[in-house]
Amino acid sequence: MTEDPQVPADAGTKGAAALPRVAVIVSGSGTLLQALLDNAQGYTISSVLSDRADALGLERARKAGVPTAVVQLKDFPDRAAWDRGLLKAVDAFAPDLVVLAGFMRILGEPLLNRYGGKIINTHPALLPAFPGAHGVRDAMAHGVKVTGCSVILVDAGTDTGPIIAQRATEVLDEDTEETLHERIKVLERDLLVDVVERMATQGWTVDGRKVRLN
Ligand code: GAR
């Protein structure tokens, strides 16, 4: 058991271009991460972290030459220690923005206290409807005719933070959870890239629950 995540020795060094640094945290296949990597202009993906050593997103990062860190719950004595470990791993890369792209855990206080207001999450439903781990399934089960994706600022709740941007798609009679999720992800990749690019290059303002991209 250790609280030391795997972090490369050169982590945290500023790149020559000095573009805003984005840390991406993933749990799964990382197609949203791939979109962020492929379309980075006004920002640089400076690190990719995961709570799963087998996350395909880590492989995508390595292929792109981006430093990675694995912070697995099972390597820590308890959830609080893991939260501290995740903060330490994120800190090591000194990000300006933290993006949760298919990260399937609730963020703990340490990361929120340090990076609150600069952490964004993407979710495959039109929040505040259908928060949680099964946004697509829950929307279908409810029988909605329109669903979509939401990019939000992360707060302490489950998908409750202020909404930055959303896109919608129709639910078709013949949809399965997989076909609908894939159609949502096409929108989601584009939306996430656009939001990160705008936040990195022009900034944003928050007034209560209202977020405005500059
Ligand atoms: C995305 O649809 C994202 O919104 C969702 O996981 C998918 C990741 O896709 N996240 C959540 O459901 C978080 N509650 P990817 O692994 O292909 O990038």
Side-chain angles (χ1 to χ4, degrees):
M1 300 268 185
T2 171
E3 288 200 29
D4 285 319
Q6 299 165 35
V7 178
D10 64 347
T13 52
K14 292 269 179 194
L19 290 171
R21 299 163 61 86
V22 179
V24 183
I25 312 184
V26 300
S27 296
S29 70
T31 67
L32 300 179
L33 163 68
Q34 191 68 55
L36 287 168
L37 286 165
D38 291 346
N39 296 285
Q41 290 186 359
Y43 61 89
T44 181
I45 304 295
S46 56
S47 54
V48 172
L49 303 95
S50 183
D51 60 321
R52 298 177 54 123
D54 62 349
L56 188 56
L58 290 169
E59 202 44 48
R60 294 177 188 276
R62 290 184 197 114
K63 277 203 185 113
V66 174
T68 61
V70 176
V71 189
Q72 299 190 98
L73 199 49
K74 72 176 175 62
D75 296 331
F76 293 82
D78 53 32
R79 167 75 208 221
W82 177 80
D83 280 328
R84 292 195 296 276
L86 186 60
L87 172 62
K88 193 170 171 186
V90 170
D91 268 348
F93 298 101
D96 300 297
L97 202 61
V98 178
V99 177
L100 311 184
F103 181 58
M104 301 308 282
R105 292 188 188 278
I106 306 298
L107 277 193
E109 266 186 23
L111 211 70
L112 278 171
N113 288 346
R114 180 80 53 94
Y115 292 96
K118 295 194 289 189
I119 307 174
I120 71 173
N121 183 33
T122 174
H123 181 74
L126 293 175
L127 294 170
F130 313 115
H134 305 291
V136 181
R137 188 184 309 170
D138 293 346
M140 282 192 90
H142 197 86
V144 298
K145 303 299 182 197
V146 174
T147 185
C149 54
S150 307
V151 177
I152 63 171
L153 285 173
V154 174
D155 66 9
T158 302
D159 300 321
T160 51
I163 295 165
I164 302 168
Q166 294 182 304
R167 286 207 188 145
T169 184
E170 275 184 51
V171 180
L172 308 176
D173 288 342
E174 59 271 29
D175 265 329
T176 62
E177 185 179 346
E178 288 70 34
T179 60
L180 180 57
H181 197 173
E182 194 42 52
R183 202 159 63 256
I184 290 170
K185 286 213 278 184
V186 172
L187 300 175
E188 208 175 358
R189 291 177 197 118
D190 199 48
L191 184 67
L192 185 61
V193 168
D194 184 54
V195 166
V196 172
E197 183 73 29
R198 288 173 68 183
M199 288 176 83
T201 56
Q202 290 157 48
W204 67 98
T205 53
V206 183
D207 178 12
R209 287 205 56 91
K210 295 200 176 143
V211 182
R212 180 164 298 152
L213 296 174
N214 297 335

